[in-house]
Amino acid sequence: MSRKYVFMFEEGNEKQRELLGGKGANLAGMTNLGLPVPPGFTVSTEACTRYYDDGRKIGADIEEQIFISLAKLEKKMGKKFGDPSDPLLVSVRSGSRASMPGMMDTILNLGLNDESVEGLAKKTGNPRFAYDSYRRFIQMFSDVVMEQEKAVYERILDDIKGKKGYKSDTDLTADDLKAIVKLFKDNYKKNQGADFPQDPKVQLIEATKAVFRSWDNPRANSYRRMNDIPYNWGTAVNIQSMVFGNKGETSGTGVAFTRNPSTGENKLYGEYLMNAQGEDVVAGIRTPKTIDDLKQQNPALFEQFVKITQTLEKHYKDMQDMEFTIEEGKLYMLQTRNGKRTAKAALKIAVDLVGEKMIDEQKAVLMIDPKSLDSLLHPQFEAAALKKESGAVIAKGLPASPGAACGKIAFTAERAQQMAEKGDKVVLVRLETSPEDIEGMYVSQGILTARGGMTSHAAVVARGMGTCCVAGCSDIVVDEEKKILKADGKTFKEGDYISLDGSTGYVYGKAINTVPASLSGDFGTIMQWADKYRVLKVRTNADTPADTARAVELGAEGIGLTRTEHMFFDADRITAMREMIVAKTVAEREKALLKLLPMQKKDFKGIYEALEGRPATIRFLDPPLHEFLPHTDEEIAALAKDMKLTFDELKATVESLHEFNPMLGHRGCRLAVTYPEIAVMQTRAVIEAAIEVNKEKGLNIVPEIMIPLVGEVRELKYVKDFVVKTADEIIAKSGVKLTYKVGTMIEVPRAAITADKIAEEAEFFSFGTNDLTQMTFGFSRDDAGKFLKDYYEKKIYESDPFAKVDFEGVGELIKLAVEKGKRVRKDIKLGICGEHGGDPASVEFCHNAGLSYVSCSPYRVPIARLAAAQANLRNPRKE
Amino acid sequence: MSRKYVFMFEEGNEKQRELLGGKGANLAGMTNLGLPVPPGFTVSTEACTRYYDDGRKIGADIEEQIFISLAKLEKKMGKKFGDPSDPLLVSVRSGSRASMPGMMDTILNLGLNDESVEGLAKKTGNPRFAYDSYRRFIQMFSDVVMEQEKAVYERILDDIKGKKGYKSDTDLTADDLKAIVKLFKDNYKKNQGADFPQDPKVQLIEATKAVFRSWDNPRANSYRRMNDIPYNWGTAVNIQSMVFGNKGETSGTGVAFTRNPSTGENKLYGEYLMNAQGEDVVAGIRTPKTIDDLKQQNPALFEQFVKITQTLEKHYKDMQDMEFTIEEGKLYMLQTRNGKRTAKAALKIAVDLVGEKMIDEQKAVLMIDPKSLDSLLHPQFEAAALKKESGAVIAKGLPASPGAACGKIAFTAERAQQMAEKGDKVVLVRLETSPEDIEGMYVSQGILTARGGMTSHAAVVARGMGTCCVAGCSDIVVDEEKKILKADGKTFKEGDYISLDGSTGYVYGKAINTVPASLSGDFGTIMQWADKYRVLKVRTNADTPADTARAVELGAEGIGLTRTEHMFFDADRITAMREMIVAKTVAEREKALLKLLPMQKKDFKGIYEALEGRPATIRFLDPPLHEFLPHTDEEIAALAKDMKLTFDELKATVESLHEFNPMLGHRGCRLAVTYPEIAVMQTRAVIEAAIEVNKEKGLNIVPEIMIPLVGEVRELKYVKDFVVKTADEIIAKSGVKLTYKVGTMIEVPRAAITADKIAEEAEFFSFGTNDLTQMTFGFSRDDAGKFLKDYYEKKIYESDPFAKVDFEGVGELIKLAVEKGKRVRKDIKLGICGEHGGDPASVEFCHNAGLSYVSCSPYRVPIARLAAAQANLRNPRKE
């Protein structure tokens, strides 16, 4: 016997989201609650999967089941599908497990044809209603099923209205609509080369296929990718007997929320239109009434509706978003679902529901989408200002780092600093940023780049700083020499105002006021609950005392990654750094390093103080040395002069440091293997700073020294021996006690594979998932942007492996390393410090893999805390 | 109780090489055979390991055991160590498991001091002998144990000889030698700041430490690395009672081989000197006599010696290299070991020993060092010509591809072609080579580059072609513009002769005649036996019909890797290739590809024909497209003109293809994902060529299409779908049957980790260990040269992971992929096609890992065949 693919509403229940989709499960749920739901049935998500497996065909067995259910529906309704005198009409709607914009939405009035429209007119005694329904059906079918151009139908409608001098659709008479139906059908034929299908069964199957097809359209695919919805879930199709909101002035249709989706206020909120079908409410042609008006208009019906909304909220234990229709004074419920809401509303609703004892804290923690917190943590545009200037969009780039920014344009980092010093708010605009821009980036409100992807230098650094950034904005042309930005036919000069929205990628050619983030009391409450239920610690990636302090405010429990090299790009430091690089002997190198020592020490003291005793993992010098040297002949000549070298000497050094693949070059611990004196200096800075801060502030800082890019235990051992010798000497000399740890990053595949050996020397592992992802996949994030879009389009990858841990490949390596590491060193501390540490799905992976902590940029700390709590609530860790 | 670290010769046996080292085990063996071996004892290799573990100290327990054995030796010899009237004297020699030049060799006469030298003089009645022995001891001890400058002692000796007008050391009188001893001791004190040690026990322990220490000297380390000898083996120390070859004219010392080590001829071969100690024979001051002279001089002793040599050869079943001493007419054996021999001799000896029924075929196969075959497979310098010009060395680079070459210098690939066309023999000299040089490389006798390592482009391509190459020769200065090569103070112009030795790295500033490789009958015999005992198949990496034919001659059983991109660099093809790259639409791209199709097809037909029915794995386009475009503005301008593009257009294309890390960029199957039409064209060429050749030649070629750089099964599937569709259409249309396979390279770590998923689509795996090594370690072979030398010096890596598979890291990934692949597809074909396929240790790894075949460059095929046989003989595979 064939598998069951089609379910009458009363055969299902609201738990069957996977099989029936969200909409179908809830229709079944409402039916079972005895609410007034028009009868119907659901074609399951498994039928959709079959459709694709079968080469985009609906199997005969599935078609048969659809028609069997249709027959049951006919019986229940006492009407026949296609009956010329009293036809059964249905709506067809998509409905996947997760609510998904971008997919086919709705076809109404399906079942009408040239004959039955007449029957409907007679039966209802309302030919206007019948022809209005038919023209709507043709319109929706042509648009949604046949993918014809929508505008033509609107134009025909507008033409008639214009000729007749009508203001509104409701002015159209039955005859007008009859004429429109004819014009619509003509246009259909012109487009399709065939008559509008008259067989209702053909209409039904085509509509079902259209829903299945829409699962794979580009918008749906990109939504899925952004929201981690697997392609193989598929969508269900809901076929429901029609009720009509367009049967006259006692009919209507509307949507409502049990609470305010924008603020979270516990008050019924909604809109409706009389004598209308669903799409009229959305279309915005007529202004809908608020739900409060319904109380006046029909108090009994309103009371019934309120009771239903309360039943639903209590039943689903969450704010509900409902669709309803009133047919000749009778109320029908067409849909209910947990309502979408702003992040702010989500927090309020969750906290309120706990207060109302409808849910417990755990449920409240699970209700909040961790990613949504992002929008609460950064400055936003003032709503009124944004509304006013919404037409000022001049370009759209990648939403690389969230928040809103408004300021004067600067085209160089240096200029940005100068302008900021004068008190200007600055937006830094560059083709792309480089490490030397770091200070200019730091003082800017926002960063806009023409090139680079979501993981370009600008994007990564901006996210780290919590600064708004729009990256890879190919809509703009930047001439850095002439200091000109062109976009949307306009030219902007240095000092002109622009505004950026780092959450959407929009660039505005005007100043739009921003307001700072406000972390309401509900935010604090949820975070407090989250901390109660998580076991995974959350640390931060921070390179400065200011970033550290901000992260601690946001709940960071320590530092998981301090990149020491970022400290070397300051103007006064890079000189000493360059002296170190061009040094020809160990003695010369040590002399230059001695200049860097007090600076590094000062950095570390500042960071320790901001941490107030929390642990700090400090990564030793990582990037290849050529990053600290200029590359053009002009710059080299200037620097050579400063450094009292000949041009040829410096040029030779720059050339000798050139690498074919810098990602796979002389960097990480390889630098310390060649120049152990660098590690010695950094050890001194780390240890001396800790001793001094512990003494001065009465703290007990335990520094964790992290050796990067290890692939072989002997290279770790080699560097570690220098670290330990240096540290122990300093500690012995200081006469005080200091505990410190030495560990490594696991970011080279070989390190993961030989983690058991490495754990013999490493007291902790921190998974550097950025590099580990690059090397495991064999592509560099700087280069992959060019071809990854093909991979998404062709559905080879469903998500960005640099944003969400690739569970199958990189994840396997992490699990292998965890297992091998723990086998050798039971109490090994395990963390992650790549970009992934702030991604909720990746945080859940880390929880399940048994890591001790995740570390992420300061503004992602709350997200990680919440995600960690949710992970533990879903899969409690046995410690 | 302490572990036993010291063994009297009679306590050991010749099987204990690991514990006693080769020399110690054989001394024990000879002692047990009842041969005249001066008594002594061996300090084990474990004592050496302990020495390093204890921080370069000899433990008190080991010292105690040494002195206990010394007491036994005193008893046996009836003499006391340091006895002023009749001292026991000993020799101290190193001896590791494998014979290892570069380590400390020998100290003789240890135990002498100012007092006992007098006793020795009296006891022997030979003061000249006594003082000669003492001065030799001081000299060796100062040099070897104290690492003083050797030349000073030679100078003192020469001064005296000069003053006295002596010609030879033997002219020195006892008084002369007494005076020399004094001068030697003065010099020792001046250098050491302390008197020459008079306590024999101190002498012994210091000498023992010196042996241990020498295990870690740079020469020993580099020898170990080249010969895959693990650092942790350690060396033993042999302490043996002295017999004296310098006691007068009835004493002497010599070395002998049971067969000729140069030709393999079965005839005793050796040299000796009367009235001499060991080092005199080696030093070459006096001309030694041949062993045949001994027959004349002392027939009885000669007969005894011949008998002993026969006993030893029969016992060890291999050609022996022996040291002996005659003390006052009595013969002593000081050492025996399996003798080093030339590759040619090795083959002859092995085949002869089988003929003599001394060993069986398996043993013969195991006796040949596979690496040594290399020297037989390439042209060599004429021995006489080389001897004459050996002083003409002008530089030394890396021995990147073996063989000898002689020709006129060309500084560009183009010029090399022109000169070759005129019939000149050419040596191509470049700073470094690039893919565009390929044709010039092909016509050259040898290639010399100033830059690049053992795995640079020049080195890899030259090895592939079997062309002699010296790479990374930093001794030379190449000015490509001025067409000048400077080295050793000389200047060479285009057309000047130079000669290269690709096996040693020497560059000669003259023409030196070469002779072609001669594969003697013994070679064929051994190869035939090897084929009998191996299960691992051996294929070749070949890109042209010529290379393929050569590889088949050398025993290749098919092609494991054809790199299709090498075919695109020819002048007539690169144009079409470039048109393909700058194409803006699929149609334009297809048009350019259509031009390439007949060329590729012709290539494949040629290769199939050369294979005569053997299988061929053809890898689809792999390198990033920018490799096919010029990069300087000048070249771009010229090409733009040719291609009828504007400079800006072409420049923009070049820039858009720029990659930060080309190794991790848009290459491999990623190209085919973006441009499936490339894979379609290549499929057409592969399949159409196979159909035609099968028809024309009555063959049954089964092409194997290999998709490179796969990291995710869906990308393989995506490309494979195009391949299969194209291939099946062509086959169906042709009306003949053709079997083909589609598989992938496993060269990205993620592919190994997800091999079970990939095996669902791939019919075969070929491990691309070059890239797999790069990505697993996270370093690029082009860049790693800069820091790997530090890694070797610091003993972080013991061998080059690009030459020998890194068993611990990369090897684990291979094993994982084999296991996962076989689990899903039982009959999956597994091969390796990296540089490692020709490395014997890696071949053994592949055998043990259960691979089906290895693939290597043509000239390495015999090496791989032999290594595969040895692997199976050592560890027979249960099929």
Side-chain angles (χ1 to χ4, degrees), chain B residues 151-171:
Chain B
V152 183
Y153 292 92
E154 292 295 342
R155 219 178 301 130
I156 292 170
L157 217 53
D158 286 345
D159 276 356
I160 300 271
K161 276 157 69 184
K163 267 182 212 153
K164 303 262 178 168
Y166 297 159
K167 281 190 180 156
S168 160
D169 288 1
T170 45
D171 296 337

Side-chain angles (χ1 to χ4, degrees), chain B residues 691-878:
Chain B
I691 289 173
E692 288 177 21
V693 170
N694 282 350
K695 225 181 268 182
E696 289 161 16
K697 306 277 170 183
L699 295 174
N700 183 22
I701 290 279
V702 177
E704 300 167 354
I705 292 175
M706 180 153 73
I707 313 296
L709 214 74
V710 163
E712 155 65 46
V713 64
R714 277 176 290 192
E715 65 184 347
L716 172 60
K717 174 90 167 61
Y718 182 82
V719 180
K720 185 184 161 189
D721 285 350
F722 283 94
V723 169
V724 168
K725 185 166 173 287
T726 307
D728 289 354
E729 276 173 16
I730 296 168
I731 295 168
K733 227 167 97 184
S734 78
V736 299
K737 273 198 171 179
L738 182 81
T739 314
Y740 67 96
K741 292 195 165 91
V742 183
T744 185
M745 276 180 96
I746 303 285
E747 52 185 335
V748 167
R750 196 176 188 279
I753 300 163
T754 63
D756 44 352
K757 305 213 167 59
I758 290 175
E760 282 170 14
E761 294 295 334
E763 292 174 271
F764 61 88
F765 287 169
S766 178
F767 291 95
T769 46
N770 294 353
D771 274 8
L772 191 59
T773 299
Q774 300 194 82
M775 292 175 194
T776 304
F777 277 91
F779 49 63
S780 121
R781 53 179 182 172
D782 289 324
D783 299 310
K786 282 184 203 154
F787 53 84
L788 280 187
K789 62 179 194 318
D790 295 319
Y791 275 69
Y792 298 138
E793 268 168 31
K794 294 170 179 180
K795 283 194 239 27
I796 292 170
Y797 297 132
E798 290 192 25
S799 63
D800 177 358
F802 293 116
K804 175 181 154 193
V805 168
D806 157 48
F807 302 146
E808 241 177 50
V810 176
E812 275 304 302
L813 276 182
I814 293 175
K815 287 199 265 181
L816 183 75
V818 167
E819 187 264 311
K820 288 189 168 198
K822 283 191 172 169
R823 204 195 303 151
V824 170
R825 190 185 287 265
K826 231 184 136 186
D827 64 343
I828 191 162
K829 208 166 51 67
L830 301 164
I832 181 177
C833 63
E835 283 277 312
H836 303 88
D839 168 65
S842 306
V843 170
E844 178 159 16
F845 171 84
C846 292
H847 169 84
N848 293 333
L851 300 201
S852 330
Y853 69 87
V854 296
S855 185
C856 54
S857 51
Y859 282 98
R860 286 186 164 195
V861 166
I863 298 173
R865 286 159 70 195
L866 183 55
Q870 293 184 348
N872 195 42
L873 288 171
R874 279 194 281 264
N875 182 20
R877 194 192 281 182
K878 294 147 207 90

Side-chain angles (χ1 to χ4, degrees), chain A residues 256-301:
Chain A
F257 296 83
T258 54
R259 299 175 190 233
N260 186 312
S262 173
T263 63
E265 192 193 1
N266 185 3
K267 184 172 177 305
L268 189 64
Y269 176 93
E271 296 178 325
Y272 73 103
L273 268 179
M274 295 312 280
N275 199 11
Q277 277 198 322
E279 75 273 24
D280 299 329
V281 183
V282 185
I285 304 166
R286 288 160 59 195
T287 307
K289 300 185 172 180
T290 71
I291 200 75
D292 292 328
D293 295 333
L294 188 60
K295 197 173 180 178
Q296 319 250 315
Q297 200 169 348
N298 192 338
L301 191 137

Side-chain angles (χ1 to χ4, degrees), chain B residues 194-231:
Chain B
D195 285 321
F196 185 79
Q198 293 293 311
D199 181 347
K201 291 194 171 178
V202 170
Q203 294 170 358
L204 182 63
I205 294 302
E206 287 305 316
T208 303
K209 277 192 214 162
V211 173
F212 287 159
R213 219 159 49 221
S214 72
W215 177 252
D216 190 39
N217 74 32
R219 277 168 309 148
N221 283 328
S222 90
Y223 183 86
R224 261 197 300 279
R225 200 157 56 238
M226 285 183 329
N227 290 275
D228 285 341
I229 300 175
Y231 180 68

Side-chain angles (χ1 to χ4, degrees), chain A residues 397-400 430-433 448-460 463 469-474 781-786, chain B residues 660:
Chain A
L398 300 171
R430 306 274 294 151
L431 277 172
E432 54 201 327
T433 61
L448 169 63
T449 67
R451 298 191 197 142
M454 291 295 284
T455 50
S456 61
H457 178 265
V460 172
R463 281 199 293 278
C469 175
V470 174
C473 183
S474 52
R781 52 179 182 171
D782 289 326
D783 299 310
K786 282 184 204 155
Chain B
F660 296 98

Side-chain angles (χ1 to χ4, degrees), chain A residues 82-143:
Chain A
D83 183 339
S85 59
D86 185 14
L88 171 64
L89 302 184
V90 298
S91 65
V92 177
R93 287 182 169 95
S94 68
S96 71
R97 256 195 253 191
S99 165
M100 247 184 67
M103 267 167 52
M104 195 198 89
D105 192 24
T106 304
I107 294 177
L108 300 178
N109 313 336
L110 188 141
L112 281 174
N113 57 20
D114 295 352
E115 267 190 318
S116 63
V117 69
E118 282 295 335
L120 185 65
K122 262 184 217 144
K123 177 80 189 173
T124 58
N126 191 344
R128 192 200 169 279
F129 154 70
Y131 280 95
D132 186 45
S133 298
Y134 195 25
R135 72 94 189 163
R136 285 171 190 269
F137 172 49
I138 298 170
Q139 207 171 343
M140 283 188 271
F141 192 89
S142 308
D143 166 23

Side-chain angles (χ1 to χ4, degrees), chain A residues 597 601 605 608 683-693 730:
Chain A
L597 174 63
K601 200 166 135 183
K605 285 186 72 170
Y608 293 153
T683 304
R684 278 188 64 181
V686 165
I687 298 295
E688 289 178 5
I691 290 173
E692 288 177 23
V693 170
I730 296 168

